[in-house]
Structure formats: structure tokens, C-alpha cells
Amino acid sequence: MTPFQIPVALIFLAACGLFLSGCQADDAPETSAGHVVSVRVSDVTGGQAQEITLRFSGIVRSTQRATLTFQISGTLKERAVELGQTVAAGDVLARVYNPALEPARDSASAKLDELNTRYDQAKREWERSSRLRERGVVSVQNLEQIAARRDSLKASVATAQAALAEATQLLQESTLRAPFSGRVEALLIERDEFVAAGQPVMRLSSPEGKEVEARVPAYLLAHVSVDQELPVWSVQNRSEAPVIGSVVEIAQAGAIRGELHPVLVSLPLNTLGAGEPVEVGITPIRESALTVPLLSVIRSAGNMTVFRVRDGVARRVPIEVERVVGERVVVRTGELEPGDQVVYAGTTRLADGDSVEVR
């Protein structure tokens, strides 16, 4: 190599070194500020689902109502009210005549008077005999016999008092009084007709409070609860908005095939009138299983997991797989909820706690 060629080679090598160093600087990757993984997510489906509202017919009635009867039999001699009349608590509604009631009371009263007289005499006799016994005139045996007769008459007086109270009460039962303030809803017996004990005579209802009874199949009883609010539509005005009632009583399911069970719904004041036909709406709530995409399930050591994304962060959530339905998996877990998002694409690049970007 000539002296001239040596400096040229050195210059060439220096230029190549500078070029290679510049290439290495250009090819070096930039250091990212944070590790963000791009993923695809899908919603967790399932949970509670409402079905179509079912309507059941009923009739509005008064909350406080009564079918009135006499406790004794007899002939209806007086009826002091008319149909639709408003009455106050304690007002006389009707009277029945039974020819045996007054004589029975008078006989019981006379019997009580007789026994009271005999008892008073026995007490005075015992007091006199007690004083004579102190003087030694009357024996102990005679004094005991007098005391026994006195105590027997005392018990007879108590029995007679009970008999008089019973006869008096039966006589009072011949008068029918209003148990509460309300309106006469129906008259079932006419004047001078014979009334048997316990036979309905009239119906009374109070204007305070309204309710409706809907009869539903047994399976729907699990979809209602006490104090639950239910819509009530008027059949005569179906275009109007429903009245919102509250469940107050729920029947217990029976074992009779095809039997319908009553559900009692209380209505707000000044809404629907008594006797108005209505429909009560009940919406069944169906519990459906939680499902996630099949691709989101990750098999790890000892269990199955999925990545749940919340606030841009992926976290592992353990699950139990029940069955596979198409491209989804029915799972059981206490952490996932319907609407949660789980990763189904990009899981191989994820670690617990990584920040993610949803594509």
C-alpha cells in the first residue's frame, strides 16, 4: 500500500464508523412512559330479568266491612235503616223478637233474689250459732252444718248471677247495632221474616280505605312481597295511568290442583271506588345465569380466571365454569356482576394490574 492510500483508508473507516453509530441511534426503541396493553372486551350477561307484566282481575272493596248477624233466632220485628244509609258506630240497625228471652231473664232475676234472701238468712243463722257456741249451747257439729249450708248458698248465688248475666246478654243480642261508622251496603232479610242464629241480615262497609283482592297462581306468590307496590288499572278507564297500590297480605300456596291464591292490595285514598272492576299487574322476575365469552376464560394453576376491566385496569377474577353454551360459558362467581367487562382478546400479553386500552 502506498503512503497516499493509507490516509484514504483511515478516512473511509472513520466515516463508516460514524454512519453505523448513527444507524444504531436511529434504530433504538423509544422508552415508553407506561405499559398499556391493547385489548378487546365483552360484557358479562345474566342476572335479574323482568318478564311481561301479567294482569289479574279483581273488584275494589272497602277495607273495613262486615256481614252482620244475630246471635239468637227469632222474627225480624224492626229494621231501622234503609239501603245505602249512612250510620254511626252504636246506632240501632234492627231488632229481632224471641218470646223466650224476656221470661228467661225475669226467671233468672227472680231465682237470684230468692238465693240472696236464703244466703242472707244463712249468714245471720251462722252468726247467732257462733255466739251460742261460745256459751256452750250449740255443738261444734251443728255449727259446721250451718256453715256448710251458708257456703252452699253462696255458691248458688254466684251461679244465679251468671245465669242472669247470660239471659240479659241474650236479650241484648236481640238488638243489632253498628260495629263501626259506615254505609249499609246490602239488606238480606225483610221485616217479619224468621232469622236463624248466625244468618246474615245486612252488610255494612266503611268509606275509609279501599283494597282489591287478586287471585294468582301459586308460582307467582314468590314474585310478590308485603309492602311491594303494584300497578292497578281501572277496567272502565284503561287509557288512564294505573293507581299504585301496596301489598298487605299474601296467601300461602296450597296443595289443591289449579287453585288460585289471593293477594290483597291496599289502594290510596280517593282513587278508585268500591265495586269498580280493576286489573292488578304483577311482573315476574327471572334469575338468569352469568355468562362470559369462551375466549375470556384463562386456565391457570388450580383454577379458572378472567380479566375484568374497571377504570382502565385489568384484574384477575376467579370463576367456576358450569357449562359451555355455544361461544359463551356459564360461570359461578361472587365477584362478577352483570354488565362487567371482561377481556377476550389480548389476554396473552396481560398481567394482573396492567393498564389496558379497549379497542
Side-chain angles (χ1 to χ4, degrees), residues 82-99:
E82 298 296 335
L83 186 63
Q85 181 176 337
T86 301
V87 298
D91 286 353
V92 175
L93 304 178
R95 285 190 174 92
V96 71
Y97 172 71
N98 187 316

Side-chain angles (χ1 to χ4, degrees), residues 241-308:
V243 173
I244 303 301
S246 177
V247 178
V248 292
E249 291 182 13
I250 302 173
Q252 184 177 358
I256 301 177
R257 184 189 300 272
E259 182 182 17
L260 298 179
H261 308 280
V263 174
L264 199 61
V265 180
S266 176
L267 300 176
L269 295 176
N270 303 322
T271 52
L272 299 172
E276 188 171 349
V278 295
E279 291 178 340
V280 179
I282 298 178
T283 305
I285 303 297
R286 175 175 50 86
E287 294 285 345
S288 57
L290 293 179
T291 65
V292 297
L294 180 61
L295 295 176
S296 66
V297 180
I298 304 171
R299 180 185 295 275
S300 57
N303 61 355
M304 301 280 194
T305 60
V306 295
F307 279 108
R308 179 179 60 190

